[in-house]
Amino acid sequence: RNRRQAARAGSAMYAEALAPLGLRVTQYSLIAHVMRMEPVTFKDLSRATRLERTTLVRNIELLRKQDLITDAPEPTGKAGHLCLTEKGRNALDQGLPLWKKAQAAVKALLDPEEVTTLKRLLGKLQTATWTTESHS
C-alpha cells in the first residue's frame, strides 16, 4: 500500500509537469519508447513498457487521434509497425524540459543516498518477473 501511494505521489509530480502538453505520464512515456524503438510493433512496445495489450491499444489510439503516433510508412517501414509523427517528435522535445524539471523536484525531496536507493529498487522492480504462481 505504501509503495502504491509513493508511486502515485511521484507520478502526480510528473503529471503536473506534463499538463501543459495535454499528455499523461503514460502517453509521454509511450511516445518516448516509440521514438527509441521505431519502427516498433505493438508486441515489442508492450514488452518494453510492460503494458497489457488492451491498455497499450487504448493509449496508442489516443495518441493516433492526437496525431502523435502513426503507422510506419509501407515503403520504408514494416507493416504493423508504429512511428512518431512530426507532432509527436515536437511533443517529446517540448516535454523534455518539463520532465527534467519534475525529476529535479523529486531529487530535491530526497537526499543523494535515497536517490541511489530509489534507482536501485526501481531497477530491480523493472527487471523482475512476477507471476501469481511464483509468489503463492
Side-chain angles (χ1 to χ4, degrees):
R1 183 176 153 207
N2 289 342
R3 286 180 292 229
R4 281 185 296 211
Q5 288 175 337
R8 276 190 226 114
S11 289
M13 293 176 82
Y14 285 92
E16 185 177 327
L18 293 173
L21 291 179
L23 292 174
R24 297 189 326 242
V25 174
T26 304
Q27 293 170 326
Y28 186 79
S29 177
L30 277 174
I31 61 175
H33 273 87
V34 169
M35 186 200 70
R36 282 192 301 272
M37 301 172 73
E38 68 183 343
V40 62
T41 63
F42 270 91
K43 185 177 180 180
D44 289 341
L45 189 58
S46 178
R47 279 191 195 133
T49 60
R50 293 186 167 224
L51 290 174
E52 293 177 351
R53 183 168 173 80
T54 54
T55 301
L56 181 60
V57 168
R58 186 173 52 249
N59 278 288
I60 292 297
E61 287 308 312
L62 288 171
L63 294 170
R64 277 183 172 145
K65 286 179 184 174
Q66 295 175 21
D67 191 33
L68 299 172
I69 290 179
T70 190
D71 293 313
E74 290 296 328
T76 57
K78 300 175 186 170
H81 286 66
L82 301 168
C83 63
L84 289 185
T85 63
E86 193 61 35
K87 187 175 176 185
R89 292 180 198 289
N90 289 337
L92 272 178
D93 290 344
Q94 291 172 1
L96 187 58
L98 303 174
W99 188 267
K100 286 182 177 182
K101 184 178 178 182
Q103 282 182 317
V106 170
K107 283 183 179 181
L109 292 173
L110 306 172
D111 66 45
E113 184 179 317
E114 291 170 324
V115 171
T116 301
T117 300
L118 180 61
K119 285 180 181 180
R120 184 178 51 78
L121 292 173
L122 290 174
K124 267 183 147 175
L125 289 172
Q126 285 179 328
T127 59
T129 305
W130 189 88
T131 62
T132 53
E133 293 82 31
S134 65
H135 293 84
S136 35

